[in-house]
Amino acid sequence: MASARKLMGRGGLYTLVGAFAVFGAFPFYWMVIATFKRDHDLFNPVANPFIFNEPPTLDHLKLLLFDTHFITYLWNTFLVGSAVVVITLAAAVPAAYSLARWARGWGETLGIGIFLTYLVPPTILFIPLSRFASALGLQESLWSLILIYPTFTIPFCTWLLMGFFKTIPKDIEEQAMIDGLSRFGAMARVVLPLGISGILTVVVFAFTLSMHEFIYALTFISVSMKKTVSIGVPTELVRGDVFQWGPLMAGALIASIPVAVVYTFFLDRFIAGFTMGAVK
């Protein structure tokens, strides 16, 4: 009887996990199907939408790669995302380390206050940030995105890293200083290597947020050659009420593959960074 209950429990668990796996993988499956389907097969209302009813085609990929600036969109996205990651790390790491190590009670309050700024809706900040970009002459420039995105990545990443640095015992750092390292040397050679999970979490979070952000990118960039992938694909492949679903799904598939690969390789560290940063 006990073995039957155990078997049923395990079967239920596997069924639940399988259902979540199918649910998570379905968007990728749908993008692959739509990317390689012929238009006649894709828009046929009586055809099975989940399989290839006609031979696959590369027409949608050719249109995306050779008739649009998709490669430029990817390159612009990489530039903006990389710059945002560098700026976020340069500001969030020393801020979080200082608040976690040197500030007492007010440091915790200040950390929560910094995090709360992340919760301000982008629509409220839209007008002042638009005036800021205009005053600096950054309209139609990727620099407008590079300077504005850190305003909402730095607060969250500072709060996240604060919790992570608190999990690293001070004794290890103090022992390194007794052995001759300076405060900065102990931070660079002892604390940061131990906090690599939190730093990788910040890198992945800042880059993916920069990659997927839509509102500010749509507002500040209208020149096609300077668009990022989040606005380049939908604005160039949607004309009025005409949606080119094949190229749209192809663009979404190509842009999502690197993110999926990064999350797959660093999933354990990413979860560790989020959970440790959230509970401390």
Side-chain angles (χ1 to χ4, degrees):
M1 188 65 181
S3 61
R5 288 182 179 177
K6 184 177 180 180
L7 186 62
M8 290 179 61
R10 181 161 296 182
L13 176 63
Y14 286 150
T15 302
L16 184 62
V17 172
F20 272 107
V22 171
F23 179 77
F26 181 76
F28 282 93
Y29 176 75
W30 183 256
M31 286 188 287
V32 171
I33 288 290
T35 297
F36 296 104
K37 267 197 172 188
R38 296 177 183 273
D39 282 337
H40 179 267
D41 188 10
L42 190 61
F43 295 106
N44 187 353
V46 297
N48 187 339
F50 302 110
I51 60 174
F52 289 106
N53 301 287
E54 298 178 11
T57 180
L58 296 176
D59 290 346
H60 300 315
L61 277 177
K62 291 179 181 176
L63 188 151
L64 178 71
L65 297 176
F66 300 112
D67 294 343
T68 68
H69 301 297
F70 183 70
I71 303 299
T72 304
Y73 302 154
L74 290 178
W75 177 246
N76 292 340
T77 303
F78 175 77
L79 290 178
V80 173
S82 301
V84 171
V85 167
V86 171
I87 295 173
T88 301
L89 287 177
V93 169
Y97 178 78
S98 303
L99 290 171
R101 281 290 185 267
W102 296 328
R104 301 294 181 181
W106 64 269
E108 187 71 26
T109 304
L110 182 59
I112 295 174
I114 292 173
F115 172 71
L116 290 178
T117 62
Y118 173 74
L119 302 181
V120 178
T123 50
I124 296 179
L125 300 175
F126 171 77
I127 294 178
L129 289 177
S130 176
R131 292 174 62 90
F132 167 76
S134 178
L136 294 180
L138 298 179
Q139 293 283 4
E140 307 297 350
S141 171
L142 293 178
W143 280 104
S144 60
L145 305 181
I146 292 174
L147 294 181
I148 287 175
Y149 286 166
T151 60
F152 41 85
T153 58
I154 290 175
F156 179 80
C157 294
T158 301
W159 171 78
L160 184 70
L161 287 173
M162 270 182 63
F164 205 88
F165 286 143
K166 289 179 180 178
T167 65
I168 301 175
K170 292 182 180 179
D171 297 343
I172 299 177
E173 187 178 347
E174 291 171 353
Q175 184 61 50
M177 295 175 68
I178 293 174
D179 291 340
L181 291 179
S182 62
R183 170 69 70 177
F184 180 78
M187 172 187 168
R189 300 177 64 176
V190 176
V191 176
L192 294 186
L194 291 175
I196 190 66
S197 295
I199 294 174
L200 284 175
T201 304
V202 168
V203 171
V204 173
F205 171 79
F207 191 88
T208 53
L209 189 145
S210 305
M211 185 176 180
H212 297 153
E213 200 282 329
F214 185 81
I215 296 177
Y216 292 112
L218 180 64
T219 303
F220 297 133
I221 306 292
S222 61
V223 178
S224 181
M225 289 294 290
K226 295 184 178 180
K227 290 180 179 178
T228 57
V229 71
S230 62
I231 58 168
V233 171
T235 57
E236 297 298 321
L237 295 174
V238 178
R239 301 292 184 186
D241 58 349
V242 178
F243 291 73
Q244 302 186 59
W245 286 114
L248 279 170
M249 291 296 103
L253 178 66
I254 295 174
S256 61
I257 287 176
V259 179
V261 171
V262 169
Y263 270 89
T264 301
F265 279 104
F266 296 103
L267 182 62
D268 293 340
R269 292 180 179 272
F270 192 72
I271 294 175
F274 257 116
T275 54
M276 296 180 72
V279 299
K280 291 294 180 179

